[in-house]
Structures are given as C-alpha cells and as structure tokens.
Amino acid sequence: MTVHVIGGGLAGLSAAIAVAARGERVILSEAARHAGGRCRSYHDGLLDMTIDNGNHLVLSGNRAVDRYLRDIDAHGQVTGPDRAEFHFLDLQLGNRWTLRPDDGRVPWWILHADRRVPGTRLSDYLALLVLLQRHPGRRIDEVVRRDTVLWEKFLRPVLLSALNTAPESASADLAGAIVRETFARGGRYMRPLVSSPNLAAAFVDPALERLRRDGADIRLGRALRAVRFADGRAAALAFDGDEETVQPGDRVIVAVPPWVAEKLLPGLIAPQAFNAILNAHFQLVPPAGSPAMVGLIGGTAEWVFAFEDRLSVTVSAASDHLMDMDTESLILLLWRDVAVVHDLRGPVPPCRIVKEKRATFAATPAEEARRPAAKTAWANLFLAGDWTDTGLPATIEGALRSGNRAAALALGGV
Ligand SMILES: Cc1cc2nc3c(=O)[nH]c(=O)nc-3n(C[C@H](O)[C@H](O)[C@H](O)COP(=O)(O)OP(=O)(O)OC[C@H]3O[C@@H](n4cnc5c(N)ncnc54)[C@H](O)[C@@H]3O)c2cc1C
C-alpha cells in the first residue's frame, strides 16, 4: 500500500510519520520548497538570522505534541519553566504579576488573594466552571460573565491567543476544550513551552529526518492541482507536470489549507472566515533574566517572547487597521510596549514584521459548524488539518491530532 500525503504542514507531517512508522510506503507532496506550513522558520535577509513566521506556544498538557516530539526525538527542542507560570504587565496601571497555578488538579492558588490576578475575587474563578460543560453552537459571551477583572486581565488575553478570535464572539465549546484539557487539570498540564532555538528545529527538521529514516519519499515543490475520482474513490492525483495513479489499496491524505481543499474536493464544506496574526521580531539580546513570555494588558502588543537573540511580539486576531499600517509606524507602536516590558531605552533595534493574513480559521460557532470530519465521501481519501473537526481550535495540538486520526483511518482498511 502507498499512502499519498498531500501537504507538509504539521498535520501532513504527523500523518506521514504515523503511516511510515507502520512500515507502509509514504509519498509526501508539499507545494512549497520547505515543510512546516504555518509553523515554519526561515533565514531572514533583513536581520540576517533565522526567525519563525510566528511565535508558537504549546502547553505541557498537549498530549499529541508530547507524542510527536517523542516520535521525532525532539523533546529537547521545546523548553519552558519547570512549573506553570505566566507573567503579566498592565501597561495602563504599570503593575506586574505572575500566576503560578498549583501542579495538581485542585486550584489552591485561587484561595489566596496574593496569588490571584490582582483585583479578582474567588467567585470570579468559580464562575469559570461553566466552561467545563459542553455548549454546542454557543458563544463565550453567552456563557461567561465579561464584566469582571478576571475576564479583562486573564481570560480575555488567554482566550484571544488560544482561539485567535475575539473571545466575545468565539465558540464556548472550543474555549471549553482548552480549559478541560489543560487548565482544569492543574499546573502540570499548563507549563508554557516554546521551541528553541526555532520552530523548524523542534517541529519540522527532526520530522523530515525521521521520515527519511523510515524510507518516506518527500517531494517538496510539488503542488497537487486536481484529484480525479472514479467509483467513489480517488483514482489519480494531478501534480504540476505529472500525474500519479492511485492504485487500488492505496490511500490519500489531504492535509492542505481549507481554501485549497475546497478547490480539490467537490462539495467540501470547510471554514471560510479567517483571522490574522501579526508578529514583530526585534533583533537584540534580551536583558539577563527576562521572562520567556509576558502577557500585556492594555497594549498593542499582546505577548512578548524572549529568545536568545530576539524579542518577539504576537498580536492575535490582528485588526485590519494594524494589518494595513505601514511598517515603520507599526514597529514604533509595538516597540513602545516592548521597551516598557523590558525597561529598554535607546534606539529601536532592527525589526522584521511578519503578517499572516489567514493564520487560523475564525473560532466562532458558525465556522466550527463548517469543519469537516476526517472521513470523506471517497472511500480512500481522508482529510487532515487544524481546520478539520478536531474539537480543538486551530493549534499545533489540533493539527497533529488530525494527522494521527487521518493516518489511523488510512491504515485501518477501506
Ligand atoms: C503566526 C501564527 C502563530 C501561531 N501560533 C500558534 C501557537 O502559539 N500555538 C499553536 O498551537 N498554534 C499556533 N498557530 C497555529 C498553527 O501554526 C497551525 O495550527 C498549524 O501549523 C497548522 O498545521 P496544518 O498542517 O493543519 O496546516 P498548514 O500549516 O497550513 O499546512 C498545509 C500545508 O499544505 C501545503 N499546500 C497547500 N496547497 C498545497 C497543494 N496544492 N499541494 C501540496 N501541498 C499544498 C502548504 O504549503 C502547507 O505546508 C499559529 C499560526 C500562525 C500562522
């Protein structure tokens, strides 16, 4: 059996790894000259250094991430504090705080005023229990109170970055999935982890290495242009310049973005609204002892990440206003926040802005309802991607799980 995996983002890579590990033949075709998709690193000419397209955070409770990193022997490339901790700065009030949830399931920390978000009450936290239940089709603002300090100073920023969607209009079920899988399980599952030194070193290069070791055929720069169907199956794959017959018994895993999948697969219903993410990479060595990540309240920058050779800013669900702003003004606006976080004076360091317009699908109930299952109308063709019906928002965890699921279906007989 040959399994054709189309798309070398994390969904395609995880599917390919799962199939190749079972000794089946894999042909991985990726349109770009590099793998990684929306989770990639590249050498930036302006800064003359390797940067990521965007800062990617995962949590220690992300079980598919954990398994994937083990499979590709890259656990050491993802780092974070030994215990869960989240640093925040309120730019308006000028105060800082650090949340350090207890390791275990019982959140003792919320009983202590000095360990809570400043200005919050115990009852604010209890109100969050509602997110542990399922709320199909409902928005967060229909189930969670938003007139609390906890919403402004913790829930809103955290949900905004996890869902890449204004939390007010986002799906309560998708928010609930994050809460159930990580926060509700205690600090052990909430350690914030980032790739070191970059995304490629953690999630992409070791995956390609593993695939090569397992004999997979990796073809970069090979875009799938059409699928020919016959008798309820995918019968041939038309790439630029060549066509490949899908033999009886072969399988196809389509792990491309939704707007590409819609063109390849007639009748496919997929998310059609997307949100942007804006990143700025400032080239400077962070001051000694800088926290790896600081959440900002009341700024333009939302999170500031400290890497060895750069300070990187993330703005989730970036507005059109920011996306359209000229680069110089944007750099100045974001640097103002970064300089306060790290108490920096002096000239603005060299900076690269990276704008990802369709970073993720909008995590609203309407888009959630458009996410298709991995199984399709064609017996030998399966879907993967963070936008398929994983029950999670568009995240690395969701992408990896979708790849594993498609691989299991492809391996499980048609
Ligand atoms: C700026 C940014 C920040 C993010 N931050 C986080 C974060 O902090 N934490 C987190 O968990 N997630 C984050 N994400 C989301 C995460 O990157 C995605 O969920 C994940 O990478 C999606 O992987 P995927 O394989 O589903 O899709 P993609 O990465 O889009 O992969 C699809 C692949 O298909 C290829 N392709 C397209 N057309 C064709 C074709 N015709 N033939 C062959 N190949 C084709 C593409 O080139 C691409 O490589 C972020 C995303 C962005 C953009």
Side-chain angles (χ1 to χ4, degrees):
M1 169 172 76
T2 296
V3 178
H4 300 270
V5 178
I6 314 298
L10 294 188
L13 287 173
S14 64
I17 285 166
V19 172
R22 287 276 293 271
E24 301 294 348
R25 183 164 180 249
V26 170
I27 303 177
L28 172 67
S29 301
E30 160 59 49
R33 298 246 155 245
H34 53 82
R38 276 171 285 147
C39 179
R40 66 183 184 280
S41 313
Y42 62 95
H43 184 267
D44 183 81
L46 173 75
L47 303 180
D48 192 19
M49 64 195 282
T50 300
I51 55 173
D52 296 331
N53 66 315
N55 303 312
H56 279 62
L57 179 79
V58 291
L59 294 178
S60 48
N62 292 153
R63 59 177 195 268
V65 171
D66 188 58
R67 185 180 139 188
Y68 177 80
L69 293 173
R70 272 179 216 289
D71 284 349
I72 64 173
D73 204 14
H75 243 282
Q77 305 303 126
V78 170
T79 58
D82 292 339
R83 302 190 60 182
E85 58 176 26
F86 297 88
H87 302 274
F88 286 91
L89 163 63
D90 185 324
L91 285 164
Q92 248 93 67
L93 299 179
N95 62 332
R96 296 176 188 256
W97 65 96
T98 301
L99 292 188
R100 291 195 177 85
D102 299 279
D103 274 351
R105 208 176 255 276
V106 184
W108 298 112
W109 63 282
I110 64 173
L111 299 177
H112 303 273
D114 58 345
R115 292 183 64 193
R116 294 199 290 261
V117 178
T120 58
R121 289 171 309 185
L122 180 59
S123 58
D124 298 339
Y125 296 81
L126 297 179
L128 293 183
L129 291 173
V130 68
L131 281 176
L132 297 179
Q133 296 150 21
R134 299 294 311 272
H135 302 282
R138 301 186 75 193
R139 295 188 313 266
I140 296 174
D141 70 353
E142 293 177 290
V143 301
V144 176
R145 278 187 62 179
R146 290 181 297 131
D147 57 349
T148 64
V149 177
L150 185 66
W151 171 264
E152 269 319 306
K153 298 203 172 175
F154 180 69
L155 260 190
R156 190 175 196 286
V158 166
L159 291 176
L160 175 64
S161 55
L163 300 166
N164 194 33
T165 301
E168 297 75 16
S169 58
S171 151
D173 256 355
L174 290 177
I178 300 164
V179 172
R180 284 191 296 276
E181 294 210 3
T182 51
F183 297 102
R185 295 168 76 199
R188 218 171 287 135
Y189 298 88
M190 289 167 65
R191 284 173 46 230
L193 305 172
V194 291
S195 309
S196 170
N198 53 51
L199 288 171
F203 287 98
V204 185
D205 296 344
L208 294 174
E209 228 169 83
R210 165 81 206 243
L211 282 171
R212 288 193 186 104
R213 273 206 309 277
D214 284 350
D217 184 353
I218 301 166
R219 304 198 194 168
L220 302 176
R222 192 185 196 219
L224 180 67
R225 296 298 178 204
V227 184
R228 313 217 190 285
F229 299 99
D231 305 325
R233 309 166 63 84
L237 303 174
F239 296 95
D240 277 339
D242 71 310
E243 180 152 324
E244 190 133 12
T245 306
V246 180
Q247 304 292 347
D250 289 354
R251 315 279 194 270
V252 181
I253 295 175
V254 174
V256 300
W259 53 90
V260 180
E262 272 178 332
K263 287 191 190 132
L264 295 170
L265 307 176
L268 179 73
I269 292 177
Q272 53 191 6
F274 303 92
N275 286 331
I277 298 181
L278 185 77
N279 276 260
H281 304 281
F282 291 96
Q283 185 176 39
L284 85 165
V285 175
S290 298
M293 197 180 108
V294 180
L296 301 189
I297 311 297
T300 308
E302 287 162 4
W303 296 92
V304 180
F305 292 79
F307 295 96
E308 264 174 23
D309 51 5
R310 63 192 189 276
L311 286 170
S312 294
V313 169
T314 297
V315 183
S316 299
S319 65
D320 291 345
H321 171 66
L322 279 185
M323 292 296 281
D324 295 340
M325 191 178 281
D326 69 276
T327 304
E328 278 315 302
S329 312
L330 196 50
I331 289 174
L332 287 177
L333 192 63
L334 295 171
W335 177 250
R336 215 168 54 194
D337 290 350
V338 175
V340 176
V341 175
H342 290 289
D343 197 17
L344 297 165
R345 282 150 240 259
V348 182
C351 174
R352 167 66 78 192
I353 298 280
V354 185
K355 295 173 178 175
E356 289 269 6
K357 280 199 173 151
R358 290 189 283 194
T360 69
F361 71 91
T364 59
E367 296 305 306
E368 171 71 353
R370 295 181 64 85
R371 298 174 80 184
K375 269 191 177 180
T376 68
W378 302 280
N380 62 346
L381 187 146
F382 307 98
L383 286 175
D386 62 356
W387 54 277
T388 58
D389 189 13
T390 63
L392 294 175
T395 51
I396 292 179
E397 176 71 7
L400 296 176
R401 279 196 208 175
S402 76
N404 293 336
R405 166 95 181 119
L409 289 167
L411 292 166
V414 176

